[in-house]
Amino acid sequence: MATLMTPPVGTDERAALLAFLNNQREALMAGVQGLTDADAGKTSTASALSVLALLRHANRTERRWVLAALDGRDLPGEWPPDDWSKEFVLGPEDTIAVHLAAYRETAAGTEEIINALPSLDVPCKLEAAAQWNARWILLHLIEETARHAGHADIIRESLDGATAPALIDALNAAD
């Protein structure tokens, strides 16, 4: 039976949003379980997406929203991106190990930044995003990550027949 990825009940809003985001991250990371770097970089549908490119993109997206927009950090080359058309194009430096480690590091940083805020009403520091607050960013990241976790499910099943519940169980067993 597949592990359910439901956040605990009775948590406050901040903890619940972080838990939902983490669950979606785990669903996306599960998509690369058991694949080689070459297989994780394959496109198996009509789109140009691969599970590895989705993993890299989700990490970059979270960094852009949390580190640049919310926390006001400079991310040269990452925000703004040098070339949006290359967002899903992989190079030889793109490996599962590199991007899983980076995504986990980003997740820890997100949790630290969000937990340090006095409230989720704190607005973005980046002027171009000042109309949004931390709550909006968390909701947007949940939406974006869930969308790409779904893409990864379809791509992965097209590659080798593996399905999300079994992959999530494999990810949980590896931890």
Side-chain angles (χ1 to χ4, degrees):
M1 183 167 149
T3 302
L4 293 177
M5 295 179 45
T6 305
V9 203
T11 57
D12 67 9
E13 178 188 22
R14 184 186 317 238
L17 291 173
L18 286 169
F20 271 100
L21 177 56
N22 190 58
N23 286 344
Q24 294 309 314
R25 280 192 211 105
E26 288 179 5
L28 179 55
M29 290 188 290
V32 297
Q33 292 302 304
L35 290 178
T36 64
D37 292 331
D39 286 341
K42 288 181 180 175
T43 59
S44 63
T45 65
S47 85
L49 300 177
S50 69
V51 290
L52 186 55
L54 287 166
L55 182 64
R56 184 185 70 184
H57 169 71
N59 179 54
R60 288 178 175 178
T61 299
E62 189 166 331
R63 287 176 49 80
R64 290 168 181 150
W65 277 109
V66 176
L67 298 179
L70 184 60
D71 205 41
R73 297 185 200 178
D74 287 332
L75 298 177
E78 236 179 299
W79 185 256
D82 293 331
D83 185 352
W84 278 110
S85 71
K86 294 185 179 172
E87 185 70 11
F88 295 100
V89 177
L90 297 173
E93 71 283 358
D94 293 304
T95 67
I96 293 169
V98 163
H99 291 300
L100 283 175
Y103 203 24
R104 287 183 174 121
E105 182 180 328
T106 296
T110 293
E111 189 165 319
E112 183 179 319
I113 289 166
I114 295 297
N115 283 326
L117 295 174
S119 89
L120 295 179
D121 295 322
V122 170
C124 291
K125 291 180 181 175
L126 186 65
E127 188 177 326
Q131 70 269 31
W132 295 302
N133 61 23
R135 178 181 296 102
W136 186 93
I137 287 173
L138 285 173
L139 290 167
H140 177 62
L141 287 173
I142 292 165
E143 169 194 43
E144 177 83 3
T145 308
R147 174 181 297 118
H148 292 316
H151 292 143
D153 290 347
I154 292 167
I155 294 166
R156 181 59 192 265
E157 193 168 353
S158 297
L159 284 172
D160 64 4
T163 60
L167 292 169
I168 291 166
D169 283 346
L171 179 67
N172 289 334
D175 288 342

